[in-house]
Amino acid sequence: ALRRTMPDMDPVRGNVTVRFLLSQDGNLVEVHLVKSSGNPLMDQNVMFAVRQSSFPFPPPNAPPVDRTFVVTYIYR
């Protein structure tokens, strides 16, 4: 789901780590920047991309720990 919204930052290089929580119906509840790339524009673009993504439904009655994800966007 995240690959489709990954912003094109060529030729910029860096990593951005985000943590996000999904609701029981797969909607984004919250997203936080865990580790900045050091480039505010890259960080902002990644946060925007996560907010634009569509996610699958989590398993029924999944607790928040099973609906929380940490993802690192890697630009090389």
Side-chain angles (χ1 to χ4, degrees):
L2 294 172
R3 172 71 71 189
R4 291 189 301 264
T5 61
M6 190 170 174
D8 181 14
M9 297 296 296
D10 194 45
V12 178
R13 304 290 182 243
N15 300 336
V16 180
T17 302
V18 293
R19 181 182 67 240
F20 57 92
L21 171 65
L22 301 180
S23 67
Q24 287 289 344
D25 59 1
N27 290 321
L28 185 66
V29 174
E30 60 187 47
V31 60
H32 299 282
L33 182 65
V34 173
K35 184 176 180 200
S36 171
S37 66
N39 180 328
L41 180 59
M42 180 183 283
D43 297 346
Q44 181 181 14
N45 284 344
V46 167
M47 296 287 283
F48 180 77
V50 172
R51 289 184 183 104
Q52 299 305 309
S53 296
S54 296
F55 300 97
F57 288 99
N61 301 315
V65 69
D66 291 338
R67 294 181 281 118
T68 302
F69 301 89
V70 177
V71 176
T72 299
Y73 283 74
I74 301 171
Y75 293 92
R76 294 184 185 168

